[in-house]
Amino acid sequence: MDIDHDACYRAICARDPRFDGRFFTGVKTTGIYCRPICPARTPRRENVEFFASAAGAQEAGYRPCLRCRPETAPDLGAWRGTSNSVSRALALIELGALDEAPVERLAERLGIGARHLRRLFAATLGASPIAVAQTRRVLLAKQLIHETTLPMTEVALASGFGSLRRFNETFQALYRRPPLALRRAGAADAGGAKAAGETTILLRYKPPYDWPAMLSFLGARLIAGVETIEGSVYRRTISLQGEHGIVSVEPTEGAALRVSLRFPKLSALPNVIARLRRVFDLAADPEAVALDLAKDSTLAPLVALRPGLRLPGAWDGFEMAARAILGQQVTVAGAARLAARLTERFGEKLCCFDPALTHVFPEPAALVEADLSGVGLTRARAESLKKMAAAAAGSPDLFSAARSPEDAQALLRALPGVGDWTAQYIAMRLLREPDAFPAADLGLRRALAGDDGARPSPGKLLTRAENWRPWRAYAAQYLWTCGAAAP
């Protein structure tokens, strides 16, 4: 890790919010680690050390501060650009890859050795993969203690602990008090009135955040019966672990999104959180993106016009891939209508009642041998969709973070009807590849047309986009949003 001690110390002296989530401060005299914005008295320079991650601080023997609550710091994904393997491993850990499997299995999924993976984590985050997974569990549990009224048994289950005993032992060792004492101390933070069986939690992000742009993008692509937007609230059906549920997301105070979940299995909560972080691009650092893209004369006014613009993600891999195929050579509204018909015919009906949400999106297996003649697809696109469904059904890891973006795109391009545009679009929204760029997109070429109306060729557009690396996907989103021509 390359951490500038002097720069970090100046940041904590100023309590500069720009550094929140970028590093954590370990105070040697107290054994506590804090966020850069902690309101406690600033310790002496010689009494602190700095860590790139909360996991690194905890592995070094520090316990989380009860005042600044490190679990509420924005998770900026600071590893991006440092190690592709670490980035992919973190995405898998967030989805629960180490909850029941060893590090060796995680390394195998990534195509590297376990020893090498541990070395990469130590160099990048200052912590082992196991420490990262344990820290995520502990910090999520502490957030649930503060922000919900769930019984401790359910908190333990929802945060990934195998048993209540292990949960209690961990908190006693780390915080030197039982979990219930933390709830009593933070009782005022617990959520207000909620519907029966509903869990509410806050997901933090680095401001600014262009929520209207996010809602506009998702709203234009809503699948009737699966998704809906009511005011500033986005809601959708979900299907996980053989169960159905509903999740709703809305902005709230304190640079956070309020998530309300109705789902019968609380053990799915970490997976839901990971997927929502992907959908709403909560790991982005908008200042870093804006700083680079604003250097371009074409993008500078767009960046100034839409501060905090995010790259909308996708809830599910197959749903995203199917939506991309449905969107080929049709309007955005036309693709949404096709997706709604597909869902009504082949998606399961929602198990729980909701006046606006009725179905979950079809599983890949439901479309492999389906008769798609009544959906409104051309024969070629119907065949492409069925081939995609067969590939997804036969390879559950087809859209997994275990694959590198290059390997994933190569596999997608090998499928009938999936060209570079579709593969790049899936990489942007699903694989969270910030440098993906669909150069053949008509909307991007139109946005960069010359004064005479001539549009650049895909090759020339790629050359033009070299200046936007490593944020070409965000550049595309700015051009789409400000030009209202997103696919």
Side-chain angles (χ1 to χ4, degrees):
M1 295 179 297
D2 183 17
I3 292 183
D4 187 324
H5 190 282
D6 289 339
C8 290
Y9 191 75
R10 290 196 299 271
I12 67 170
C13 288
R15 293 181 175 82
D16 193 333
R18 294 176 300 172
F19 293 90
D20 193 18
R22 292 183 181 274
F23 67 86
F24 295 86
T25 306
V27 184
K28 301 174 184 177
T29 52
T30 62
I32 290 172
Y33 75 90
C34 303
R35 298 159 64 183
I37 60 170
C38 185
R41 187 179 66 178
T42 304
R44 297 169 64 91
R45 183 188 297 265
E46 62 270 19
N47 290 335
V48 298
E49 57 181 327
F50 301 103
F51 300 90
S53 66
Q58 286 193 195
E59 192 163 67
Y62 292 96
R63 63 184 186 276
C65 176
L66 295 177
R67 292 190 66 181
C68 65
R69 295 180 56 197
E71 73 274 9
T72 63
D75 187 355
L76 295 179
W79 56 85
R80 284 183 179 173
T82 305
S83 169
N84 185 267
S85 294
V86 171
S87 178
R88 288 152 55 203
L90 284 166
L92 290 171
I93 289 172
E94 193 171 19
L95 288 167
L98 292 181
D99 288 351
E100 298 180 355
V103 174
E104 287 72 18
R105 173 58 183 144
L106 173 61
E108 181 182 332
R109 293 178 66 180
L110 296 168
I112 60 178
R115 180 178 297 181
H116 182 52
L117 181 62
R118 292 187 181 97
R119 282 198 298 264
L120 289 175
F121 265 67
T124 306
L125 299 175
S128 68
I130 290 294
V132 169
Q134 290 176 339
T135 300
R136 285 187 179 277
R137 282 194 290 269
V138 168
L139 295 184
L140 174 57
K142 187 168 181 290
Q143 185 178 1
L144 291 172
I145 290 171
H146 277 279
E147 297 178 1
T148 76
T149 55
L150 290 173
M152 290 301 157
T153 302
E154 294 185 6
V155 169
L157 179 65
S159 51
F161 283 89
S163 69
L164 182 61
R165 178 179 179 181
R166 177 61 179 159
F167 170 71
N168 287 327
E169 289 175 349
T170 298
F171 269 75
Q172 188 67 49
L174 188 59
Y175 291 99
R176 299 180 182 177
R177 65 196 72 189
L180 194 58
L182 293 173
R183 169 159 288 171
R184 285 195 292 267
D189 295 335
K194 296 180 288 292
E198 185 175 274
T199 300
T200 300
I201 191 170
L202 301 181
L203 301 184
R204 270 79 178 185
Y205 56 79
K206 177 81 170 182
Y209 194 114
D210 192 340
W211 184 251
M214 176 63 72
L215 277 193
S216 176
F217 187 95
L218 296 176
R221 294 155 185 80
L222 289 179
I223 302 174
V226 175
E227 304 168 282
T228 184
I229 291 178
E230 302 165 2
S232 63
V233 183
Y234 170 83
R235 301 171 66 239
R236 69 159 293 140
T237 63
I238 62 175
S239 177
L240 293 170
Q241 302 176 10
E243 302 283 355
H244 296 174
I246 296 174
V247 64
S248 65
V249 184
E250 62 183 315
T252 188
E253 297 177 354
L257 299 181
R258 178 185 287 112
V259 174
S260 298
L261 174 67
R262 288 165 50 196
F263 197 77
K265 292 184 178 180
L266 277 175
S267 59
L269 182 60
N271 190 303
V272 170
I273 290 174
R275 288 170 180 249
L276 290 177
R277 286 180 54 78
R278 178 175 66 193
V279 171
F280 296 101
D281 197 17
L282 299 185
D285 186 342
E287 291 181 351
V289 175
L291 184 65
D292 282 350
L293 295 184
K295 297 175 183 176
D296 184 274
S297 59
T298 300
L299 294 179
L302 309 185
V303 172
L305 182 65
R306 307 304 302 239
L309 186 72
R310 304 297 170 119
L311 186 62
W315 171 262
D316 175 75
F318 176 66
E319 180 183 316
M320 175 69 252
R323 179 63 177 74
I325 291 175
L326 294 174
Q328 293 172 353
Q329 300 180 346
V330 299
T331 65
V332 171
R337 286 193 295 270
L338 291 173
R341 291 177 199 161
L342 190 74
T343 300
E344 186 177 9
R345 288 190 59 181
F346 303 105
E348 293 183 12
K349 289 188 176 180
L350 187 65
C351 293
C352 49
F353 172 76
D354 186 274
L357 302 173
T358 59
H359 291 75
V360 296
F361 194 80
E363 294 291 332
L367 300 182
V368 174
E369 301 294 339
D371 178 7
L372 302 180
S373 58
V375 175
L377 298 173
T378 64
R379 181 177 299 178
R381 273 195 294 155
E383 191 61 27
S384 295
L385 182 57
K386 292 173 72 171
K387 293 293 185 183
M388 177 70 76
S395 177
D397 286 340
L398 179 62
F399 305 108
S400 168
R403 300 186 188 277
S404 69
E406 297 77 16
D407 289 345
Q409 289 183 58
L411 286 171
L412 290 170
R413 290 191 191 98
L415 297 173
V418 179
D420 185 68
W421 180 91
T422 304
Q424 292 286 344
Y425 187 63
I426 292 173
M428 288 175 62
R429 295 199 55 202
L430 177 68
L431 305 179
R432 311 307 300 148
E433 174 49 53
D435 205 37
F437 191 71
D441 182 76
L442 182 61
L444 296 180
R445 295 172 59 202
R446 186 185 298 122
L448 293 172
D451 294 337
D452 59 355
R455 300 167 185 169
S457 66
K460 289 184 178 180
L461 186 53
L462 274 176
T463 301
R464 175 76 176 82
E466 279 296 309
N467 293 332
W468 306 336
R469 287 185 179 274
W471 309 114
R472 293 187 304 176
Y474 285 90
Q477 191 64 33
Y478 272 108
L479 291 169
W480 282 334
T481 301
C482 297

